[in-house]
Amino acid sequence: MFRNAVQPWHLLVVLVVCLLVFGSKKLPDMARSLGKSMRILKSETRALRAEDDSTTP
């Protein structure tokens, strides 16, 4: 049923709607903050995995 749910033109429509809602000046800032958040999340999960590996006998 949802095999071809996301087509390239769907992504284009979502991008245009985001541009209209947030404006072209806020989008780079939002992308930058999202990237920083993803890096922090990635480093925290690595730290937790390393902690689990060191405590496991």
Side-chain angles (χ1 to χ4, degrees):
M1 182 174 173
F2 294 109
R3 184 177 302 183
N4 294 325
V6 180
Q7 298 289 325
W9 65 273
H10 289 121
L11 298 175
L12 182 65
V13 169
V14 169
L15 182 65
V16 169
V17 169
C18 287
L19 187 63
L20 290 174
V21 170
F22 296 113
S24 62
K25 293 189 180 201
K26 289 200 175 206
L27 282 179
D29 293 334
M30 290 174 56
R32 195 174 300 116
S33 66
L34 180 65
K36 285 181 183 178
S37 299
M38 292 301 292
R39 273 184 252 133
I40 291 169
L41 179 65
K42 193 174 185 181
S43 67
E44 291 295 325
T45 54
R46 282 184 186 164
L48 286 174
R49 285 182 184 165
E51 185 179 300
D52 287 344
D53 290 342
S54 66
T55 59
T56 311

Short mmCIF file of all heavy atoms in Angstrom, two decimals:
data_model
loop_
_atom_site.label_atom_id
_atom_site.label_comp_id
_atom_site.label_asym_id
_atom_site.label_seq_id
_atom_site.Cartn_x
_atom_site.Cartn_y
_atom_site.Cartn_z
N MET A 1 0.81 -1.19 0.00
CA MET A 1 0.00 0.00 0.00
C MET A 1 0.86 1.26 0.00
O MET A 1 0.61 2.18 -0.75
CB MET A 1 -0.92 -0.03 1.20
CG MET A 1 -1.84 1.13 1.28
SD MET A 1 -2.99 0.88 2.63
CE MET A 1 -3.76 2.45 2.62
N PHE A 2 1.89 1.30 0.88
CA PHE A 2 2.74 2.48 0.98
C PHE A 2 4.10 2.25 0.34
O PHE A 2 5.09 2.84 0.73
CB PHE A 2 2.93 2.87 2.45
CG PHE A 2 1.67 3.33 3.10
CD1 PHE A 2 1.05 2.55 4.05
CD2 PHE A 2 1.10 4.53 2.75
CE1 PHE A 2 -0.11 2.96 4.66
CE2 PHE A 2 -0.06 4.97 3.34
CZ PHE A 2 -0.68 4.18 4.30
N ARG A 3 4.15 1.39 -0.65
CA ARG A 3 5.42 1.04 -1.27
C ARG A 3 6.10 2.26 -1.87
O ARG A 3 7.29 2.46 -1.70
CB ARG A 3 5.20 -0.03 -2.33
CG ARG A 3 6.49 -0.50 -2.95
CD ARG A 3 6.27 -1.59 -3.92
NE ARG A 3 5.59 -2.70 -3.22
CZ ARG A 3 5.30 -3.84 -3.77
NH1 ARG A 3 5.56 -4.04 -5.03
NH2 ARG A 3 4.71 -4.78 -3.09
N ASN A 4 5.37 3.07 -2.58
CA ASN A 4 5.93 4.26 -3.21
C ASN A 4 5.37 5.52 -2.57
O ASN A 4 5.00 6.47 -3.25
CB ASN A 4 5.64 4.25 -4.71
CG ASN A 4 6.35 3.13 -5.42
OD1 ASN A 4 7.46 2.78 -5.05
ND2 ASN A 4 5.71 2.55 -6.41
N ALA A 5 5.33 5.53 -1.25
CA ALA A 5 4.70 6.64 -0.54
C ALA A 5 5.49 7.94 -0.67
O ALA A 5 4.91 9.00 -0.80
CB ALA A 5 4.51 6.28 0.93
N VAL A 6 6.81 7.86 -0.62
CA VAL A 6 7.62 9.08 -0.67
C VAL A 6 8.27 9.18 -2.04
O VAL A 6 9.20 8.46 -2.35
CB VAL A 6 8.68 9.08 0.44
CG1 VAL A 6 9.52 10.33 0.39
CG2 VAL A 6 8.04 8.95 1.80
N GLN A 7 7.76 10.07 -2.80
CA GLN A 7 8.31 10.35 -4.13
C GLN A 7 9.20 11.59 -4.04
O GLN A 7 9.06 12.37 -3.10
CB GLN A 7 7.17 10.60 -5.12
CG GLN A 7 6.24 9.43 -5.31
CD GLN A 7 6.89 8.31 -6.08
OE1 GLN A 7 7.68 8.54 -6.98
NE2 GLN A 7 6.56 7.09 -5.71
N PRO A 8 10.08 11.80 -4.99
CA PRO A 8 10.93 13.00 -4.95
C PRO A 8 10.13 14.30 -4.93
O PRO A 8 10.53 15.26 -4.27
CB PRO A 8 11.76 12.90 -6.23
CG PRO A 8 11.80 11.45 -6.54
CD PRO A 8 10.49 10.90 -6.06
N TRP A 9 9.01 14.33 -5.59
CA TRP A 9 8.24 15.58 -5.60
C TRP A 9 7.59 15.83 -4.25
O TRP A 9 7.32 16.98 -3.90
CB TRP A 9 7.23 15.60 -6.74
CG TRP A 9 6.14 14.58 -6.65
CD1 TRP A 9 6.18 13.30 -7.11
CD2 TRP A 9 4.85 14.77 -6.07
NE1 TRP A 9 4.99 12.68 -6.84
CE2 TRP A 9 4.14 13.56 -6.20
CE3 TRP A 9 4.22 15.84 -5.45
CZ2 TRP A 9 2.87 13.39 -5.73
CZ3 TRP A 9 2.94 15.67 -4.99
CH2 TRP A 9 2.27 14.45 -5.13
N HIS A 10 7.36 14.77 -3.45
CA HIS A 10 6.86 14.97 -2.09
C HIS A 10 7.88 15.73 -1.26
O HIS A 10 7.54 16.63 -0.49
CB HIS A 10 6.56 13.63 -1.40
CG HIS A 10 5.38 12.92 -1.95
ND1 HIS A 10 5.48 11.66 -2.48
CD2 HIS A 10 4.08 13.28 -2.05
CE1 HIS A 10 4.29 11.27 -2.88
NE2 HIS A 10 3.42 12.25 -2.63
N LEU A 11 9.14 15.33 -1.39
CA LEU A 11 10.20 16.01 -0.65
C LEU A 11 10.34 17.46 -1.08
O LEU A 11 10.59 18.35 -0.26
CB LEU A 11 11.53 15.27 -0.84
CG LEU A 11 11.55 13.84 -0.32
CD1 LEU A 11 12.86 13.17 -0.67
CD2 LEU A 11 11.28 13.80 1.16
N LEU A 12 10.15 17.72 -2.36
CA LEU A 12 10.20 19.08 -2.86
C LEU A 12 9.07 19.93 -2.28
O LEU A 12 9.29 21.07 -1.87
CB LEU A 12 10.12 19.09 -4.39
CG LEU A 12 10.21 20.44 -5.08
CD1 LEU A 12 11.57 21.05 -4.83
CD2 LEU A 12 9.95 20.28 -6.55
N VAL A 13 7.89 19.36 -2.19
CA VAL A 13 6.75 20.08 -1.60
C VAL A 13 7.01 20.37 -0.13
O VAL A 13 6.75 21.48 0.35
CB VAL A 13 5.44 19.28 -1.79
CG1 VAL A 13 4.31 19.87 -0.98
CG2 VAL A 13 5.07 19.21 -3.26
N VAL A 14 7.55 19.40 0.61
CA VAL A 14 7.87 19.61 2.02
C VAL A 14 8.91 20.71 2.18
O VAL A 14 8.80 21.57 3.05
CB VAL A 14 8.34 18.29 2.67
CG1 VAL A 14 8.92 18.53 4.05
CG2 VAL A 14 7.20 17.31 2.73
N LEU A 15 9.91 20.72 1.33
CA LEU A 15 10.94 21.75 1.37
C LEU A 15 10.36 23.14 1.10
O LEU A 15 10.68 24.10 1.80
CB LEU A 15 12.05 21.45 0.37
CG LEU A 15 13.21 22.42 0.34
CD1 LEU A 15 13.96 22.39 1.65
CD2 LEU A 15 14.12 22.09 -0.82
N VAL A 16 9.48 23.25 0.14
CA VAL A 16 8.86 24.53 -0.18
C VAL A 16 7.98 25.00 0.98
O VAL A 16 8.01 26.18 1.34
CB VAL A 16 8.04 24.43 -1.49
CG1 VAL A 16 7.17 25.65 -1.69
CG2 VAL A 16 8.98 24.26 -2.68
N VAL A 17 7.24 24.09 1.58
CA VAL A 17 6.39 24.46 2.72
C VAL A 17 7.25 24.93 3.90
O VAL A 17 6.94 25.94 4.54
CB VAL A 17 5.47 23.29 3.12
CG1 VAL A 17 4.80 23.55 4.46
CG2 VAL A 17 4.45 23.04 2.04
N CYS A 18 8.34 24.23 4.17
CA CYS A 18 9.24 24.66 5.24
C CYS A 18 9.83 26.03 4.94
O CYS A 18 9.96 26.86 5.85
CB CYS A 18 10.37 23.65 5.43
SG CYS A 18 9.84 22.14 6.22
N LEU A 19 10.18 26.27 3.71
CA LEU A 19 10.72 27.57 3.33
C LEU A 19 9.69 28.67 3.52
O LEU A 19 10.01 29.75 4.01
CB LEU A 19 11.17 27.53 1.86
CG LEU A 19 11.91 28.74 1.34
CD1 LEU A 19 13.20 28.94 2.11
CD2 LEU A 19 12.20 28.58 -0.13
N LEU A 20 8.45 28.40 3.19
CA LEU A 20 7.39 29.39 3.37
C LEU A 20 7.07 29.63 4.84
O LEU A 20 6.81 30.77 5.25
CB LEU A 20 6.13 28.96 2.62
CG LEU A 20 6.21 29.02 1.10
CD1 LEU A 20 4.94 28.43 0.50
CD2 LEU A 20 6.41 30.44 0.62
N VAL A 21 7.09 28.57 5.63
CA VAL A 21 6.71 28.70 7.04
C VAL A 21 7.82 29.37 7.85
O VAL A 21 7.57 30.29 8.62
CB VAL A 21 6.37 27.32 7.63
CG1 VAL A 21 6.21 27.39 9.14
CG2 VAL A 21 5.09 26.80 7.01
N PHE A 22 9.06 28.93 7.67
CA PHE A 22 10.14 29.41 8.51
C PHE A 22 10.94 30.56 7.89
O PHE A 22 11.64 31.27 8.60
CB PHE A 22 11.10 28.27 8.86
CG PHE A 22 10.45 27.20 9.68
CD1 PHE A 22 10.25 25.94 9.14
CD2 PHE A 22 10.02 27.45 10.96
CE1 PHE A 22 9.65 24.94 9.88
CE2 PHE A 22 9.42 26.46 11.71
CZ PHE A 22 9.24 25.21 11.17
N GLY A 23 10.88 30.71 6.60
CA GLY A 23 11.64 31.76 5.96
C GLY A 23 13.05 31.31 5.63
O GLY A 23 13.60 30.39 6.21
N SER A 24 13.65 31.99 4.68
CA SER A 24 14.97 31.57 4.20
C SER A 24 16.09 31.93 5.17
O SER A 24 17.17 31.37 5.11
CB SER A 24 15.25 32.19 2.84
OG SER A 24 15.27 33.61 2.96
N LYS A 25 15.85 32.86 6.08
CA LYS A 25 16.90 33.25 7.02
C LYS A 25 17.01 32.30 8.19
O LYS A 25 18.10 32.12 8.74
CB LYS A 25 16.65 34.67 7.52
CG LYS A 25 16.80 35.69 6.43
CD LYS A 25 16.77 37.08 6.96
CE LYS A 25 16.95 38.03 5.78
NZ LYS A 25 17.42 39.32 6.19
N LYS A 26 15.93 31.67 8.59
CA LYS A 26 15.96 30.79 9.75
C LYS A 26 16.34 29.36 9.40
O LYS A 26 16.78 28.62 10.28
CB LYS A 26 14.61 30.79 10.46
CG LYS A 26 14.33 32.07 11.18
CD LYS A 26 13.29 31.86 12.22
CE LYS A 26 13.15 33.15 13.00
NZ LYS A 26 12.67 32.90 14.32
N LEU A 27 16.17 28.95 8.18
CA LEU A 27 16.45 27.56 7.81
C LEU A 27 17.91 27.16 8.03
O LEU A 27 18.17 26.09 8.58
CB LEU A 27 16.03 27.28 6.38
CG LEU A 27 14.53 27.07 6.18
CD1 LEU A 27 14.23 26.84 4.71
CD2 LEU A 27 14.02 25.93 6.99
N PRO A 28 18.91 27.97 7.64
CA PRO A 28 20.30 27.56 7.92
C PRO A 28 20.59 27.44 9.42
O PRO A 28 21.30 26.53 9.85
CB PRO A 28 21.14 28.66 7.29
CG PRO A 28 20.26 29.26 6.26
CD PRO A 28 18.87 29.15 6.80
N ASP A 29 20.03 28.34 10.22
CA ASP A 29 20.22 28.26 11.67
C ASP A 29 19.59 27.00 12.24
O ASP A 29 20.17 26.35 13.11
CB ASP A 29 19.64 29.49 12.36
CG ASP A 29 20.38 30.76 12.01
OD1 ASP A 29 21.58 30.67 11.68
OD2 ASP A 29 19.75 31.84 12.06
N MET A 30 18.42 26.67 11.74
CA MET A 30 17.75 25.46 12.21
C MET A 30 18.54 24.21 11.81
O MET A 30 18.68 23.28 12.61
CB MET A 30 16.34 25.39 11.66
CG MET A 30 15.41 26.42 12.25
SD MET A 30 13.79 26.47 11.50
CE MET A 30 13.23 24.82 11.67
N ALA A 31 19.06 24.19 10.60
CA ALA A 31 19.84 23.04 10.15
C ALA A 31 21.13 22.92 10.95
O ALA A 31 21.54 21.81 11.31
CB ALA A 31 20.16 23.18 8.66
N ARG A 32 21.74 24.04 11.26
CA ARG A 32 22.97 24.04 12.06
C ARG A 32 22.69 23.51 13.47
O ARG A 32 23.45 22.68 13.99
CB ARG A 32 23.54 25.45 12.12
CG ARG A 32 24.94 25.54 12.60
CD ARG A 32 25.49 26.96 12.49
NE ARG A 32 25.47 27.43 11.11
CZ ARG A 32 24.74 28.45 10.66
NH1 ARG A 32 23.98 29.13 11.49
NH2 ARG A 32 24.78 28.81 9.40
N SER A 33 21.63 23.95 14.07
CA SER A 33 21.31 23.48 15.42
C SER A 33 20.92 22.01 15.42
O SER A 33 21.24 21.27 16.36
CB SER A 33 20.21 24.33 16.04
OG SER A 33 19.01 24.18 15.34
N LEU A 34 20.25 21.57 14.37
CA LEU A 34 19.91 20.15 14.25
C LEU A 34 21.18 19.30 14.11
O LEU A 34 21.30 18.24 14.73
CB LEU A 34 19.00 19.92 13.04
CG LEU A 34 18.56 18.48 12.80
CD1 LEU A 34 17.69 17.99 13.94
CD2 LEU A 34 17.82 18.38 11.48
N GLY A 35 22.14 19.79 13.34
CA GLY A 35 23.41 19.07 13.19
C GLY A 35 24.17 18.98 14.51
O GLY A 35 24.73 17.94 14.84
N LYS A 36 24.17 20.07 15.27
CA LYS A 36 24.84 20.05 16.57
C LYS A 36 24.15 19.06 17.51
O LYS A 36 24.82 18.32 18.23
CB LYS A 36 24.81 21.45 17.20
CG LYS A 36 25.78 22.41 16.59
CD LYS A 36 25.71 23.75 17.29
CE LYS A 36 26.63 24.76 16.63
NZ LYS A 36 26.53 26.07 17.29
N SER A 37 22.85 19.06 17.49
CA SER A 37 22.09 18.13 18.34
C SER A 37 22.39 16.69 17.97
O SER A 37 22.54 15.83 18.85
CB SER A 37 20.60 18.40 18.23
OG SER A 37 20.30 19.70 18.65
N MET A 38 22.47 16.41 16.68
CA MET A 38 22.76 15.05 16.24
C MET A 38 24.17 14.63 16.67
O MET A 38 24.39 13.49 17.07
CB MET A 38 22.61 14.93 14.73
CG MET A 38 21.17 15.07 14.26
SD MET A 38 20.08 13.84 14.96
CE MET A 38 20.68 12.38 14.16
N ARG A 39 25.14 15.54 16.57
CA ARG A 39 26.50 15.23 17.01
C ARG A 39 26.55 14.95 18.50
O ARG A 39 27.24 14.02 18.95
CB ARG A 39 27.46 16.37 16.66
CG ARG A 39 28.01 16.24 15.25
CD ARG A 39 29.01 17.32 14.98
NE ARG A 39 28.31 18.21 14.04
CZ ARG A 39 28.24 19.52 14.12
NH1 ARG A 39 28.87 20.16 15.05
NH2 ARG A 39 27.57 20.21 13.24
N ILE A 40 25.83 15.74 19.30
CA ILE A 40 25.80 15.52 20.74
C ILE A 40 25.16 14.18 21.05
O ILE A 40 25.68 13.40 21.88
CB ILE A 40 25.05 16.68 21.44
CG1 ILE A 40 25.87 17.96 21.36
CG2 ILE A 40 24.74 16.33 22.88
CD1 ILE A 40 25.11 19.19 21.79
N LEU A 41 24.06 13.87 20.40
CA LEU A 41 23.39 12.59 20.62
C LEU A 41 24.30 11.42 20.26
O LEU A 41 24.39 10.43 20.99
CB LEU A 41 22.10 12.53 19.80
CG LEU A 41 21.30 11.25 19.90
CD1 LEU A 41 20.77 11.05 21.31
CD2 LEU A 41 20.17 11.26 18.90
N LYS A 42 25.00 11.55 19.14
CA LYS A 42 25.90 10.49 18.70
C LYS A 42 27.04 10.28 19.70
O LYS A 42 27.38 9.14 20.03
CB LYS A 42 26.46 10.86 17.32
CG LYS A 42 27.15 9.75 16.61
CD LYS A 42 27.52 10.21 15.21
CE LYS A 42 28.12 9.12 14.40
NZ LYS A 42 28.49 9.57 13.06
N SER A 43 27.62 11.36 20.19
CA SER A 43 28.71 11.23 21.14
C SER A 43 28.22 10.65 22.47
O SER A 43 28.93 9.86 23.10
CB SER A 43 29.41 12.57 21.37
OG SER A 43 28.55 13.47 22.02
N GLU A 44 27.03 11.03 22.90
CA GLU A 44 26.48 10.48 24.14
C GLU A 44 26.20 8.99 24.02
O GLU A 44 26.44 8.23 24.95
CB GLU A 44 25.21 11.23 24.55
CG GLU A 44 25.46 12.65 24.99
CD GLU A 44 26.26 12.74 26.26
OE1 GLU A 44 26.11 11.87 27.15
OE2 GLU A 44 27.06 13.68 26.36
N THR A 45 25.67 8.55 22.88
CA THR A 45 25.41 7.12 22.72
C THR A 45 26.71 6.33 22.65
O THR A 45 26.79 5.22 23.18
CB THR A 45 24.57 6.84 21.46
OG1 THR A 45 25.20 7.42 20.33
CG2 THR A 45 23.18 7.40 21.60
N ARG A 46 27.73 6.91 22.04
CA ARG A 46 29.05 6.24 22.03
C ARG A 46 29.59 6.11 23.45
O ARG A 46 30.15 5.08 23.82
CB ARG A 46 30.04 7.01 21.17
CG ARG A 46 29.86 6.81 19.71
CD ARG A 46 30.94 7.54 18.95
NE ARG A 46 30.70 7.46 17.53
CZ ARG A 46 31.27 8.23 16.64
NH1 ARG A 46 32.12 9.16 17.02
NH2 ARG A 46 31.00 8.09 15.36
N ALA A 47 29.45 7.17 24.25
CA ALA A 47 29.93 7.14 25.63
C ALA A 47 29.18 6.09 26.44
O ALA A 47 29.78 5.37 27.24
CB ALA A 47 29.79 8.51 26.27
N LEU A 48 27.87 6.00 26.26
CA LEU A 48 27.10 5.00 26.97
C LEU A 48 27.48 3.59 26.57
O LEU A 48 27.58 2.69 27.41
CB LEU A 48 25.60 5.22 26.75
CG LEU A 48 24.98 6.40 27.48
CD1 LEU A 48 23.54 6.59 27.04
CD2 LEU A 48 25.05 6.19 28.98
N ARG A 49 27.71 3.38 25.29
CA ARG A 49 28.13 2.04 24.83
C ARG A 49 29.50 1.69 25.39
O ARG A 49 29.74 0.55 25.80
CB ARG A 49 28.16 1.98 23.31
CG ARG A 49 26.81 1.89 22.71
CD ARG A 49 26.89 1.77 21.21
NE ARG A 49 25.57 1.76 20.62
CZ ARG A 49 25.33 1.95 19.36
NH1 ARG A 49 26.33 2.15 18.52
NH2 ARG A 49 24.10 1.93 18.89
N ALA A 50 30.42 2.64 25.41
CA ALA A 50 31.76 2.39 25.95
C ALA A 50 31.66 2.11 27.45
O ALA A 50 32.38 1.24 27.96
CB ALA A 50 32.66 3.59 25.70
N GLU A 51 30.79 2.80 28.14
CA GLU A 51 30.60 2.56 29.56
C GLU A 51 30.03 1.19 29.81
O GLU A 51 30.45 0.46 30.73
CB GLU A 51 29.67 3.62 30.13
CG GLU A 51 29.48 3.56 31.63
CD GLU A 51 28.57 4.67 32.10
OE1 GLU A 51 28.90 5.84 31.88
OE2 GLU A 51 27.52 4.33 32.68
N ASP A 52 29.07 0.76 29.00
CA ASP A 52 28.48 -0.58 29.14
C ASP A 52 29.51 -1.66 28.84
O ASP A 52 29.52 -2.70 29.49
CB ASP A 52 27.27 -0.74 28.23
CG ASP A 52 26.05 0.02 28.74
OD1 ASP A 52 26.05 0.42 29.92
OD2 ASP A 52 25.12 0.22 27.94
N ASP A 53 30.35 -1.43 27.83
CA ASP A 53 31.36 -2.42 27.48
C ASP A 53 32.42 -2.57 28.58
O ASP A 53 32.92 -3.65 28.83
CB ASP A 53 32.04 -2.06 26.16
CG ASP A 53 31.10 -2.24 24.97
OD1 ASP A 53 30.08 -2.94 25.12
OD2 ASP A 53 31.40 -1.66 23.90
N SER A 54 32.74 -1.47 29.24
CA SER A 54 33.76 -1.53 30.28
C SER A 54 33.22 -2.16 31.57
O SER A 54 33.97 -2.74 32.33
CB SER A 54 34.30 -0.13 30.57
OG SER A 54 33.29 0.69 31.13
N THR A 55 31.93 -2.06 31.83
CA THR A 55 31.37 -2.65 33.04
C THR A 55 30.97 -4.10 32.86
O THR A 55 30.80 -4.81 33.83
CB THR A 55 30.13 -1.85 33.51
OG1 THR A 55 29.15 -1.86 32.48
CG2 THR A 55 30.50 -0.43 33.88
N THR A 56 30.85 -4.57 31.65
CA THR A 56 30.47 -5.95 31.38
C THR A 56 31.68 -6.85 31.58
O THR A 56 32.74 -6.63 31.01
CB THR A 56 29.95 -6.12 29.94
OG1 THR A 56 28.98 -5.12 29.69
CG2 THR A 56 29.33 -7.48 29.75
N PRO A 57 31.56 -7.90 32.45
CA PRO A 57 32.72 -8.78 32.70
C PRO A 57 33.02 -9.70 31.57
O PRO A 57 32.31 -10.13 30.80
CB PRO A 57 32.33 -9.55 33.94
CG PRO A 57 30.86 -9.39 34.11
CD PRO A 57 30.45 -8.23 33.30
#
